Amino acid sequence: MIQKYRQSFNANFTDELYHQLTQYLEEGYPPIPFRVAETPVFIPTALKEKLITAGNEIIALIKQHNFKELTQNAIPSQWNVKNETGNPHFLTFDYGLCKDGDGEVIPMLIEMQGFPSLYGFQSHLAHAFKKVYSLDDQLTPYFGDLNETSYFELLRKVIVGSHQPHEVALMDVDAPNQKTAIDFFVTAKKLGIKVLALSAIKKEGEQLFYEENGEKVQLKRIYNRLIFDEIGDDTKIFDLSFDPRSELDIEWVTHPNWFYRISKYTMPFLKSKFVPETHFLNTLTYIPSDLENYVLKPLFSFAGMGVIIDVTATDINEIKDPENWILQRKVTYEPVIQAPDAGVKAEIRMMYLWPDGEEPQLCINLARLSRGKMIGVRYNADFDWVGGTVGLMDK
């Protein structure tokens, strides 16, 4: 959207350069199973400022003294984990790029999570775009005064804390084989931490251990990438390792409860020009007559699963657990990214780090391009100039 960069990029783009990009990204890592887009998003200053303002409004709500009280029902009783921290270590806010009544590009909040995203990979991706495409050195994916070095220093402070790297592990159900495993491996390479599947961690008393070279190593801190929703009700998986809900001598980064507190559940509490009108379904006093302008979303789902786009009154009346759904005014994405053949829709994720005892800090971003009905990969399988990418801004 910064025209000088967009025009130059499109004029010089070749399929061979894109091939070089994907090769560079995978060098030293397993193949990336998700689609990386051909282009970064060039974020103009005016849009960056709106994104920052929108994020500050959300953070103001999260920092309210009664935020935990407001969101206590967000945590499913079967997934409530002990020893919750005072604040999350990660915040990610997803915005669709739209146009307001004056024709200006405006971000509209789509999703939010108190959960980590691709904090390692996004830096790797930005570096790859700049190197392979020989982009202007003034372009950066970072906010404030951060650069690649200071960004990873901050990430190390948040994830490793006061411990030694070998005492910290990134954990997921089957971490080495997840679709986003490249992010895990980039993070491990930068920080020196372990990448462990849930089953590789064993509990003795209240302590957790993993084995390396025949030796037991005690874990002090877990960089948690485990989403309980992915396990569903199948808790037999904990028979292989440990139950995260038990009493443990471990520090969570970030504590699992924040995944639920900062989520779609939070959106009805936000009133902003950057947030679409959102209601808990069980609080509706009437069904809007213009349901074509709304979308129905389950609170406890991810990657767009279960979302009903073309809502009817019958859909609403058939919901058996309305307290677990939201009705949200639709957001109309504007195809603001100019591909060689047409405009492409975009979503930008603003990614914050919140060190212990400090303030949340906006650090880096993630972007996704789409030509499909929805942003996710499964809705864009047959297109090019779509997929995961990163926003670059003038320093």
Side-chain angles (χ1 to χ4, degrees), residues 233-252:
D233 295 325
D234 185 13
T235 56
K236 292 178 182 177
I237 190 170
F238 298 141
D239 295 337
L240 303 174
S241 53
F242 73 99
D243 189 334
R245 297 164 297 184
S246 59
E247 195 69 50
L248 299 168
D249 179 17
I250 197 75
E251 296 174 6
W252 291 100

Side-chain angles (χ1 to χ4, degrees), residues 28 31 61 73 105 126 139 201 276 376-377:
L61 172 71
N73 290 336
V105 177
L139 288 168
I201 301 173
V377 174

Side-chain angles (χ1 to χ4, degrees), residues 136-149:
D136 194 309
D137 192 52
Q138 287 300 306
L139 288 168
T140 179
Y142 306 106
F143 293 88
D145 297 326
L146 290 174
N147 55 34
E148 185 173 338
T149 300

Side-chain angles (χ1 to χ4, degrees), residues 63-80:
K63 292 174 73 175
Q64 281 184 193
H65 71 279
N66 64 338
F67 182 74
K68 283 195 173 183
E69 182 183 344
L70 282 176
T71 57
Q72 193 55 41
N73 290 336
I75 306 169
S77 58
Q78 70 272 30
W79 294 124
N80 201 330

Side-chain angles (χ1 to χ4, degrees), residues 12 19 50 86 97 128 149 173 177 182 196 259 279 327 368:
N12 291 291
H19 179 63
K50 290 173 187 173
L97 297 188
T149 300
V173 174
N177 298 305
I182 187 169
L196 297 177
F259 173 79
H279 303 276
L327 187 68
R368 292 184 290 180

Side-chain angles (χ1 to χ4, degrees), residues 45-327:
T45 300
L47 176 59
K48 179 175 76 170
E49 290 174 351
K50 290 173 187 173
L51 287 162
I52 291 171
T53 298
N56 288 341
E57 292 178 357
I58 299 169
I59 289 170
L61 172 71
I62 295 168
K63 292 174 73 175
Q64 281 184 193
H65 71 279
N66 64 338
F67 182 74
K68 283 195 173 183
E69 182 183 344
L70 282 176
T71 57
Q72 193 55 41
N73 290 336
I75 306 169
S77 58
Q78 70 272 30
W79 294 124
N80 201 330
V81 174
K82 296 178 172 63
N83 302 317
E84 185 178 327
T85 53
N87 57 262
H89 294 91
F90 305 91
L91 295 170
T92 62
F93 306 147
D94 290 357
Y95 301 92
L97 297 188
C98 310
K99 281 194 175 177
D100 62 17
D102 298 321
E104 296 292 322
V105 177
I106 185 173
M108 292 296 290
L109 185 68
I110 304 298
E111 298 273 4
M112 54 194 298
Q113 288 185 338
F115 192 78
S117 185
L118 307 185
Y119 282 86
F121 179 70
Q122 289 307 109
S123 177
H124 180 53
L125 179 58
H127 182 87
F129 267 125
K130 292 185 68 175
K131 181 177 178 63
V132 173
Y133 291 117
S134 301
L135 299 179
D136 194 309
D137 192 52
Q138 287 300 306
L139 288 168
T140 179
Y142 306 106
F143 293 88
D145 297 326
L146 290 174
N147 55 34
E148 185 173 338
T149 300
S150 59
Y151 169 69
F152 277 105
E153 287 173 354
L154 180 59
L155 193 63
R156 180 176 290 105
K157 178 195 288 188
V158 170
I159 293 176
V160 180
S162 61
H163 303 290
Q164 296 300 310
H166 69 274
E167 298 174 321
V168 181
L170 184 156
M171 181 194 75
D172 205 340
V173 174
D174 185 14
N177 298 305
Q178 291 285 11
K179 283 188 176 180
T180 56
I182 187 169
D183 174 67
F184 302 173
F185 295 129
V186 170
T187 304
K189 183 178 179 179
K190 287 287 188 178
L191 306 186
I193 64 175
K194 302 298 294 182
V195 175
L196 297 177
L198 179 66
S199 59
I201 301 173
K202 304 301 180 184
K203 181 174 179 283
E204 295 184 14
E206 294 183 357
Q207 296 179 332
L208 299 179
F209 297 86
Y210 68 94
E211 188 172 300
E212 187 167 55
N213 299 324
E215 298 287 331
K216 284 197 311 183
V217 181
Q218 185 183 349
L219 280 175
K220 304 291 183 64
R221 198 166 169 96
I222 287 178
Y223 177 28
N224 181 46
R225 302 300 292 266
L226 170 62
I227 298 176
F228 289 151
D229 284 12
E230 292 181 339
I231 299 174
D233 295 325
D234 185 13
T235 56
K236 292 178 182 177
I237 190 170
F238 298 141
D239 295 337
L240 303 174
S241 53
F242 73 99
D243 189 334
R245 297 164 297 184
S246 59
E247 195 69 50
L248 299 168
D249 179 17
I250 197 75
E251 296 174 6
W252 291 100
V253 190
T254 191
H255 192 280
N257 290 0
W258 286 105
F259 173 79
Y260 296 104
R261 289 192 185 280
I262 300 172
S263 63
K264 290 187 285 288
Y265 190 95
T266 321
M267 293 186 67
F269 300 110
L270 291 163
K271 308 301 175 188
S272 166
K273 68 177 182 179
F274 302 115
V275 180
E277 173 193 345
T278 307
H279 303 276
F280 292 112
L281 198 57
N282 65 327
T283 66
L284 279 183
T285 54
Y286 66 94
I287 295 176
S289 59
D290 59 338
L291 279 178
E292 69 275 8
N293 293 320
Y294 288 83
V295 61
L296 193 58
K297 296 181 177 181
L299 288 174
F300 306 116
S301 71
F302 56 96
M305 299 298 289
V307 173
I308 301 175
I309 298 175
D310 301 313
V311 187
T312 66
T314 300
D315 292 325
I316 293 174
N317 290 325
E318 288 182 348
I319 297 294
K320 299 294 191 292
D321 55 342
E323 69 279 5
N324 292 327
W325 290 74
I326 55 172
L327 187 68

